[in-house]
Amino acid sequence: MNREKLFNKMKKFPKVDLHRHLEGSISPQTFIKTAEKYGGKLPTHDLEKLKPLIQVQNDPPGFENFLSKFDLFRGFYSVINSVENIAFTAVKEAAEDGVKYLELRYSPTHFSSNGRFSESEVIECIQGAIDRASSRFDIIVTPILTISRDYGVDLAEQTLGLIEKMPKGFVYGLDIAGDEVKNSAKPFADLFDRAKKSGLGLTIHAGEACGAANVREAVVDFHADRIGHGISSVEDESVMKLLCEKNIMLEVCPTSNFYTGVVPSIKNHPIKKLMETGVPVSLNTDDPAILATTLTDEYVAAVSELGFDENDLKVLNQAAIEHVFYPDKEKLKNMLLHYWD
Ligand code: HPA
Ligand code: ZN
């Protein structure tokens, strides 16, 4: 099958994305349009000059460089409507890409870091955008709140405190992201404990730029339900066994792993080996705009670079549905599993 045919087929294929950051889902085009409509300072309004500032495509692969792409836009959001606009657009674009179920994560701290609005305003606004977009498009969206290792424990505690005060049924999951190399997850241990006690699903970025020991720690010490990336588990049989026994899903994002420099090429990605070993895995985008990818592109790469067939893709989606943070899994299964019968 030629690439165009395969792309069209994969675009139509109903897909689940459990690991996508809103911060990394805003295309250069959307930034420019949002700035023109709502204000917000951009280093340039020239699309071709903006692209390399927020996308990694032409850079040598590297974790620090990838993370640096988020810095530029922390202070961008000058009015809350610009946050609404980018969140709505991110959901719309996911739906247009054939994503039927999306867990969209974001850090309220990131969006409120210019101090012009509070984290609770951010949460309320993004929820409104998600509701508006998902009532208009054929997609179900569950928000996950992200805390960052890089912002420190106090800010993370502030975000978790907000979640704890919210009415039940507002937020279902907590994620920890940021620089795994520089900042250990250990200082956040009490927060993970509190999150679990509040009934939140817990996903921890681990074993991405560091080794399998971080995956073990996330599972054994912090009781993560899912792991963001976690691909270094492949280096340690006992960690893979642990993931199988405890049924912990790795949220795998191949293009991200390439641009962060943790795999040398998609062809060499360990997702197939992990699957064959029985480790629960799903296929996701991470930061589609920063990585200039879509979930369709990830599926095309899975087929053309990794030899996945349609059945493998069905299995990945069925497995993802088993690990969602959506509160009523049976209801969700009734709504979605028919896609992969
Ligand atoms: N790793 C760590 N932090 C992140 C990532 C990631 O892949 N994406 C967005 N924030
Ligand atoms: Zn991520």
Side-chain angles (χ1 to χ4, degrees):
M1 197 183 296
N2 73 32
R3 211 174 167 81
E4 195 186 333
K5 261 200 177 152
L6 177 61
F7 184 87
N8 291 335
K9 190 170 175 198
M10 290 300 112
K11 190 163 175 163
K12 281 200 205 105
F13 193 92
K15 300 174 283 293
V16 170
D17 195 333
L18 298 184
H19 188 132
R20 182 178 300 208
H21 299 259
L22 176 58
E23 296 88 326
S25 301
I26 306 145
S27 69
Q29 290 89 335
T30 300
F31 266 123
I32 292 172
K33 277 195 201 151
T34 305
E36 280 163 2
K37 189 157 180 200
Y38 299 104
K41 211 165 152 6
L42 289 178
T44 170
H45 280 227
D46 180 324
L47 181 60
E48 290 314 309
K49 288 192 181 133
L50 186 60
K51 275 183 184 171
L53 300 178
I54 58 168
Q55 295 188 318
V56 290
Q57 259 178 322
N58 297 318
D59 302 350
F63 189 52
E64 251 189 77
N65 179 59
F66 164 77
L67 289 179
S68 77
K69 301 289 174 185
F70 294 89
D71 293 343
L72 198 64
F73 296 107
R74 256 176 219 128
F76 171 75
Y77 305 95
S78 54
V79 293
I80 197 77
N81 281 350
S82 61
V83 178
E84 209 276 347
N85 188 53
I86 61 96
F88 179 86
T89 307
V91 174
K92 173 177 174 276
E93 288 176 354
E96 287 167 350
D97 191 42
V99 178
K100 299 296 179 194
Y101 178 76
L102 171 65
E103 294 201 349
L104 186 61
R105 57 187 76 190
Y106 66 93
S107 153
T109 313
H110 172 97
F111 289 103
S112 69
S113 61
N114 62 9
R116 295 205 172 97
F117 28 79
S118 66
E119 292 200 16
S120 17
E121 282 173 287
V122 169
I123 295 170
E124 207 177 300
C125 159
I126 291 179
Q127 188 59 48
I130 288 175
D131 290 345
R132 189 162 75 87
S134 42
S135 68
R136 217 174 276 189
F137 307 106
D138 183 18
I139 186 166
I140 299 166
V141 183
T142 299
I144 293 177
L145 294 200
T146 292
I147 56 177
S148 173
R149 301 161 134 95
D150 309 337
Y151 299 151
V153 176
D154 290 350
L155 283 177
E157 177 150 38
Q158 186 177 307
T159 304
L160 182 61
L162 281 176
I163 302 175
E164 287 168 338
K165 278 197 232 118
M166 274 178 215
K168 268 236 164 317
F170 214 84
V171 173
Y172 300 107
L174 187 76
D175 160 50
I176 179 163
D179 194 332
E180 180 191 12
V181 178
K182 290 197 188 128
N183 297 314
S184 156
K186 282 190 179 63
F188 298 85
D190 288 348
L191 294 192
F192 298 143
D193 221 35
R194 266 170 60 188
K196 297 280 318 185
K197 285 193 180 116
S198 310
L200 294 169
L202 181 61
T203 175
I204 298 183
H205 280 72
E208 176 188 20
C210 294
N214 279 11
V215 177
R216 183 194 300 283
E217 175 190 67
V219 174
V220 175
D221 299 342
F222 307 141
H223 309 291
D225 300 292
R226 304 192 320 229
I227 303 292
H229 304 286
I231 59 165
S232 59
S233 308
V234 79
E235 294 158 9
D236 187 328
E237 293 286 341
S238 69
V239 172
M240 287 196 284
K241 193 160 170 259
L242 179 73
L243 294 169
C244 294
E245 278 168 9
K246 296 206 170 258
N247 195 22
I248 307 294
M249 169 158 279
L250 300 185
E251 305 156 352
V252 174
C253 315
T255 298
S256 173
N257 297 151
F258 171 71
Y259 282 113
T260 53
V262 302
V263 297
S265 66
I266 305 273
K267 266 198 166 54
N268 286 296
H269 197 284
I271 184 170
K272 209 96 207 231
K273 163 98 193 283
L274 289 161
M275 267 176 104
E276 281 160 9
T277 314
V279 176
V281 296
S282 58
L283 185 56
N284 313 278
T285 48
D286 207 11
D287 296 288
I290 290 176
L291 301 159
T293 190
T294 60
L295 195 53
T296 297
D297 290 314
E298 299 301 317
Y299 277 52
V300 168
V303 171
S304 56
E305 308 286 312
L306 292 159
F308 278 61
D309 61 23
E310 211 161 307
N311 191 55
D312 294 323
L313 299 176
K314 282 183 185 175
V315 168
L316 281 171
N317 281 285
Q318 285 159 337
I321 294 287
E322 293 297 332
H323 292 264
V324 293
F325 292 158
Y326 188 85
D328 187 342
K329 206 189 287 178
E330 286 312 306
K331 183 175 162 203
L332 193 72
K333 281 178 163 181
N334 283 332
M335 290 192 281
L336 296 180
L337 279 184
H338 65 90
Y339 284 125
W340 306 288
D341 278 346

